[in-house]
Amino acid sequence: MAILGKIRERSMFLIIIIALALFSFVLTGLFDANSPLFNKNANDIGEINGEKISREEFAQLVDQQRASTNNRTSQIQNVKSAWDNLVREKVYKTQLEKSGIVVGEKDVWDAIVSQPFVQNSPMFKNEAGLFDEDKLKEYVATLKDESDTDEGRNAWLGWLNYEKSIKTNLELGTYSNLIKAGLGVTLKEGEYYYHEQNTKMDLEYVYVPYSSIADSLITITDDEIKEYVKAHKEDYITEPTVNLSFVKFDITATEEDEAIIKEELAKLIDDREEYSTAAKGNVSIVGFQNATDVAAFLRDNQSDTPLDNKFYTRALLPRSIADTISGLTVGSVYGPYKEGSNYELAKLIEVRQMPDSVQSRHILLPFLGSRSADPSNARPEAAVQKTADSLAAMLKRDNSKFADLAKELSSDKGSGAKGGDLGWYNYGRMVPEFRDYTFEGKVGDIGVVKTAFGFHIIEIQGQKNKQPAYKVARFSRAIEASDKTENAVFEKAETFASNLTDNGDIIKLAKDNGYSVQPTMGIQNLDERVSTLGNQRAIVIWAFDSATKENEIKRFDIDNGYAVVKLTKKNKKGLSLGTSKGLIRLTLLNKKKAKLIADKMTGTTLDDIAQDFNLRKNSSKAVSLASPALPGVGSAPELIGALIDLEPNKIYGKIEGKNGMFSVKMTSIEAPAKIENYKSFTSTLQSKLQGKTGKAYDALKKFAEIEDNRATFY
């Protein structure tokens, strides 16, 4: 009471302290670099060609993207897809306006109505089986009306996304057609293409490969590589990245943990006495061995797997129990035993003789709400069941009409066309209700079975290989680390993080403790995967935070463990070689080699040039662009293309090829024979040109002004 009294006396003082702490917290946020106080664009996701993209607008696009994938993708994947779609839309927007391309609501609706899946959907057909546009309109109106629920909202957003994609496709299709129209090819161009491809030349040449000059004779400096990168900036601009190193601490069950789990399961087998607080005394607890309601026992004792009511032959039982189960009496329990990542108890519930495969035929009658029903003409469940029972009774008296009725009445058109025949199938193929009837019944039985697809009138026609089948109840408990083990791993991770903060050398400290360091490089600001740690968006956000400096350390909770992470490097946006240094060096080497070869290629005849390089003069006949291979060289279209319009019997030297230098003479050149029509070559050339229309977006995007702030919000 004395303490409470002092707290009351100092209540105003405590209120002031708490208020100051909260005020300090708010100020910290205000003065942050990303605070709205200093950042005018704090609520903008980005900007595309001068048009700002608000956070609210983009969030709606992300929701639509998520709805379109039925929540099968991660948040970052939805963010990336929504952004890519938005950039494409905005980049094309200016071009569409300049081109006068306008797609209205009616254009979009007409495109939706013409879609085959819409035309053919039973949902949008009338009583006559024809497409009814009013039913489609009613469907869309219903989606909008039900958008106030979570499920309905996702469906409505999915529809809006679909409408938008249709509009975008119409716009881009029209724009693409305009580009194609501007890439027309004349018959004269087709004629020239034919001439260019089929002009044949006989050549004599000396080929000096760059590899003939040793790399050691040429020096490539880092400054030269840097100059090359500067001259080709667009190829080597990289986005900001970070490099990390981490040590992973996995939480795994110890042998002691496993022994405890095994012991807990052993106690569940037999009846036992336990003290009950409610009863204020000992009560009798029924064990797994004597439990009559096995499903309730599994549920009440928190089994990690529910009751499995299937029958299994010995070959299909888990190996760990197959041999033992076949020797048990019904009601007996085996275990505990280890099965994968669980410890289990197995109780034999029932044994019966069952086939391993069955042949049957059926007639499927759907009812309103069943999975195979056509909503436009489905009947209520009770009425359909009455029909099924009546047909089954008739077929039991005379099954000769079964095939004809299946062809006429069954909604399963595949089997219906074959008189309802389903052929032979194994135990796991059919839905449970259908499976149980056909495998547990007798050949010749005819009956009615209800499934999610409707009412089935089934006749069992054959059964093969009858053998013992076992129904086994398996109580399982996942092998998981105890609180004691988790605390020990946490302590290790915390200790390592603390020592690393003081020491800084993650490799040495890890080695001293017997841990493994995993480096990961080139992580971008919208990545979510961090090497073997999997999706760890929190780590990426921390690493890119402006407040996080190089060499900082932090422990993160991950799935089944912890990771102690060190930020080893922050790489700013700019020019970077990445892994391209070797290729750049090779390019520069070849350029210098080309100059050395050219300087030495001074002979007046091919024989002289060949002698200067201690090489042989080569020759090749009937070379063309359509067949540009040269002996000792390989494919050389760049050389053949350069020679087509040159004069024969002249030496052309110092021609750079892909892998070497040429001196060449055309000893003869033969133009192809004229043909009556060059239309096919015109079409071929036009196809090649129009195939490049897909690169239009890349070109437009390259010159677009794009500011991307997604990483600030996601």
Side-chain angles (χ1 to χ4, degrees), residues 287-341:
F288 194 30
Q289 182 92 40
N290 296 322
T292 54
D293 189 341
V294 177
F297 182 91
L298 298 184
R299 183 177 60 251
D300 295 344
N301 289 277
Q302 300 177 335
S303 171
D304 287 324
T305 52
L307 178 64
D308 182 359
N309 278 311
K310 293 180 184 177
F311 281 88
Y312 294 91
T313 61
R314 181 172 173 176
L316 296 177
L317 286 169
R319 286 186 179 182
S320 53
I321 62 173
D323 293 338
T324 305
I325 288 296
S326 60
L328 293 180
T329 57
V330 172
S332 298
V333 174
Y334 169 69
Y337 59 92
K338 194 171 184 179
E339 176 64 30
S341 59

Side-chain angles (χ1 to χ4, degrees), residues 3-145:
I3 295 175
L4 289 175
K6 290 182 179 180
I7 289 175
R8 292 191 189 98
E9 291 173 7
R10 301 181 181 181
S11 58
M12 183 55 67
F13 176 74
L14 290 172
I15 290 170
I16 293 172
I17 292 296
I18 293 170
L20 287 173
L22 290 172
F23 185 62
S24 173
F25 177 75
V26 172
L27 284 179
T28 301
L30 285 174
F31 287 101
D32 184 78
N34 295 321
S35 166
L37 188 65
F38 293 105
N39 187 355
K40 295 180 180 179
N41 298 324
N43 199 41
D44 293 334
I45 284 291
E47 188 174 314
I48 304 171
N49 284 339
E51 184 176 348
K52 295 184 184 302
I53 311 300
S54 72
R55 185 176 181 180
E56 291 76 13
E57 174 191 356
F58 188 71
Q60 186 175 12
L61 295 177
V62 173
D63 285 345
Q64 289 179 11
Q65 181 62 35
R66 183 177 61 250
S68 70
T69 62
N70 292 321
N71 295 319
R72 289 191 299 267
T73 50
S74 70
Q75 174 78 335
I76 288 297
Q77 287 174 317
N78 293 328
V79 167
K80 288 180 177 179
S81 296
W83 178 257
D84 290 343
N85 293 337
L86 183 63
V87 169
R88 181 179 289 271
E89 176 189 333
K90 301 298 183 184
V91 164
Y92 271 118
K93 182 179 178 182
T94 304
Q95 302 302 316
L96 295 173
E97 291 173 351
K98 288 180 179 179
S99 305
I101 297 173
V102 177
V103 174
E105 290 183 6
K106 187 177 186 307
D107 299 314
V108 175
W109 180 256
D110 290 344
I112 292 173
V113 168
S114 66
Q115 296 296 312
F117 85 90
V118 172
Q119 290 281 332
N120 298 327
S121 174
M123 293 177 61
F124 311 129
K125 289 184 178 180
N126 57 24
E127 290 76 6
L130 301 175
F131 172 73
D132 188 338
E133 189 173 339
D134 288 336
K135 285 186 176 291
L136 176 60
K137 291 178 179 178
E138 183 181 345
Y139 169 76
V140 176
T142 301
L143 286 180
K144 186 175 182 180
D145 291 342

